Amino acid sequence: MSLTTHFDEINEDMAFLESWEDRMAYVIDLGKAMPALDPSECNDLTRVEGCASQVWIVPEQNDETLSFRGASDAMIVQGLIAVLLARVNGLSAKDILALDIKDDFDKIGLASHLSGQRSNGLAAMINRIQQIALKAQS
């Protein structure tokens, strides 16, 4: 199973959840299932600016693909990171830059229910991943 398939599975699971509360509980569970970052990885180099919560994204490049690990001090944001990483992990920098990640979050019904602060934080996380992909591509 590729990690992109995992995002597709998240999309399918979200379609079966009728209430916003059930969807958020599912997103939170995805975040709880993520492996924790080592405390030393939560630093100024990995911190995502523009998020109301503390967010860290750690990139790893393997041959032609990128993978990311992440963490947040907020449960919902941790879940959003899990969904975001399921979308981009294992892709090439070129493929990541070709994605419309915001649209992907719209399609699974997450973006429209986020507060303004969380929407801004999600945009900052997406921007950070795209900047890392852009740097890896050059």
Side-chain angles (χ1 to χ4, degrees):
M1 169 176 66
S2 75
L3 291 168
T4 303
T5 302
H6 182 61
F7 180 82
D8 292 339
E9 290 173 4
I10 291 170
N11 187 14
E12 290 173 14
D13 291 345
M14 293 289 278
F16 285 106
L17 300 171
E18 294 182 19
S19 74
W20 173 240
E21 291 81 14
D22 288 344
R23 288 178 178 205
M24 286 317 303
Y26 174 68
V27 168
I28 289 169
D29 287 344
L30 291 172
K32 287 179 180 177
M34 287 177 48
L37 292 181
D38 185 276
S40 67
E41 294 176 303
C42 299
N43 57 54
D44 288 342
L45 294 175
T46 60
R47 186 171 183 271
V48 177
E49 297 293 329
C51 296
S53 303
Q54 296 288 321
V55 175
W56 300 272
I57 293 180
V58 178
E60 298 171 346
Q61 189 165 1
N62 305 313
D63 297 322
E64 298 297 315
T65 64
L66 291 170
S67 293
F68 301 87
R69 294 177 296 115
S72 175
D73 62 350
M75 290 189 314
I76 291 175
V77 177
Q78 178 85 8
L80 293 174
I81 294 169
V83 176
L84 176 59
L85 299 188
R87 183 65 185 110
V88 299
N89 275 350
L91 298 177
S92 69
K94 180 181 176 183
D95 289 341
I96 290 170
L97 292 169
L99 293 174
D100 185 345
I101 300 170
K102 169 93 170 62
D103 186 57
D104 291 332
F105 271 76
D106 286 339
K107 287 178 183 173
I108 62 173
L110 279 177
S112 63
H113 288 90
L114 298 177
S115 68
Q117 280 187 326
R118 287 214 175 97
S119 292
N120 291 339
L122 177 60
M125 290 185 282
I126 292 168
N127 184 54
R128 175 65 176 268
I129 285 175
Q130 290 170 332
Q131 291 302 315
I132 292 167
L134 193 59
K135 185 175 179 184
Q137 192 175 22
S138 56

